[in-house]
Amino acid sequence: MTAGFAPAALRIGRVVAADTLREALRGRLPWLLLVLLLAGAGLSGFIGALALTDTRATQAALLAALLRCAGAGIVAVFTVASVVREAHDKQAEMLLALPAGRAVWLLGRLAGFALLAVLVALPAAVLVGWHAAPAQAALWSLGLLCELWIVAAFAVFCALGLGHAAPALCATLGFYLLARVAGILRALAHDAESSSRLVAPAADAVAFLLPRLDTFARAEWLLYDTGRGADAAAMLGQTAIYLALLTAASLVDLQRREF
């Protein structure tokens, strides 16, 4: 019985991941990605017409900033909507009938959303790679993908815990924005003129608990070719840690529920 459990669990996980990705592809995701690609190309031409010097580097940096935010928003919306829709359709009750258990369902869903993040990151990687050095564009694309994976995992955690799309989406976007500016808040809190006994420790705690998304997919890599292998290692390390923590938290919340 134990020998056949792992293949069955793997098969169920693949089915759940495929269904998750198929659900997104049957929706408006392909059209949204096409619009994102065309809008990015048009914006790239507009920026190139305005820039006087370093046209390609300027195009890459501005496109990177816009596509990064757009990608995070798309992943957050589709992930939250998918999980909440499944809960409202009472499909979550089918978890009890799965022979592999709820953990396999959760991992399958996370794998499906990870594939969704790859599809979202692909147009951004193509557009940025067209205007930047290949090595720096590849490093930036890796950072974007890691960022989207963290956003997807946090969106699953919020959607499972809150059960409604609006608060889950607000929490996910709030987490993303706070993680993006945590480093800036920490620097301001430690400013000699404005720091206090409460503000500085609070800013340190926030920066410690949240992933440093401000160090992911940095525009300066595209402008000045400053990205190095150490940056990739740091991004991958943070991504592994936070994906493990968010997966464990989602699994604990899922296991305690009674359907």
Side-chain angles (χ1 to χ4, degrees):
M1 182 176 181
T2 304
F5 176 78
L10 184 60
R11 184 169 58 254
I12 293 173
R14 287 201 303 263
V15 170
V16 173
D19 287 343
T20 300
L21 186 61
R22 191 178 300 112
E23 178 187 0
L25 294 177
R26 286 177 177 175
R28 296 183 176 87
L29 180 64
W31 293 106
L32 189 58
L33 293 180
L34 179 61
V35 170
L36 181 64
L37 185 62
L38 294 177
L43 183 61
S44 173
F46 179 72
I47 295 172
L50 294 179
L52 299 178
T53 59
D54 294 332
T55 302
R56 295 182 69 86
T58 304
Q59 286 175 310
L62 293 178
L63 271 177
L66 294 174
L67 294 173
R68 187 181 182 187
C69 295
I74 291 172
V75 170
V77 169
F78 271 87
T79 303
V80 168
S82 178
V83 176
V84 172
R85 185 186 306 114
E86 186 177 45
H88 287 176
D89 291 343
K90 304 299 182 182
Q91 296 181 18
E93 296 179 0
M94 296 176 60
L95 294 176
L96 297 178
L98 291 177
R102 305 179 186 187
V104 173
W105 174 86
L106 177 62
L107 293 176
R109 293 288 275 170
L110 289 173
F113 293 130
L115 294 175
L116 170 65
V118 173
L119 293 181
V120 174
L122 188 59
V126 170
L127 288 171
V128 171
W130 184 260
H131 300 288
Q136 301 299 318
L139 182 62
W140 182 90
S141 301
L142 175 63
L144 175 63
L145 185 58
C146 290
E147 184 175 294
L148 296 183
W149 281 343
I150 294 176
V151 169
F154 191 83
V156 170
F157 172 69
C158 291
L160 288 174
L162 298 176
H164 297 280
L169 185 58
C170 289
T172 302
L173 295 180
F175 162 82
Y176 176 73
L177 293 175
L178 188 58
R180 286 286 303 273
V181 301
I184 299 175
L185 294 178
R186 184 181 183 185
L188 292 175
H190 284 273
D191 184 72
E193 297 180 357
S194 60
S195 61
S196 67
R197 295 181 179 179
L198 295 178
V199 174
D204 290 337
V206 170
F208 177 77
L209 293 174
L210 294 179
R212 290 293 307 274
L213 295 185
D214 57 315
T215 63
F216 287 44
R218 304 180 66 173
E220 66 184 49
W221 298 340
L222 307 174
L223 281 172
Y224 309 115
D225 295 342
T226 56
R228 297 294 181 265
D231 297 312
M235 291 186 301
L236 291 172
Q238 287 193 65
T239 302
I241 291 172
Y242 282 95
L243 286 182
L245 291 175
L246 290 170
T247 301
S250 299
L251 183 57
V252 169
D253 180 67
L254 194 60
Q255 293 285 9
R256 68 177 178 82
R257 294 189 173 206
E258 296 182 0
F259 295 96

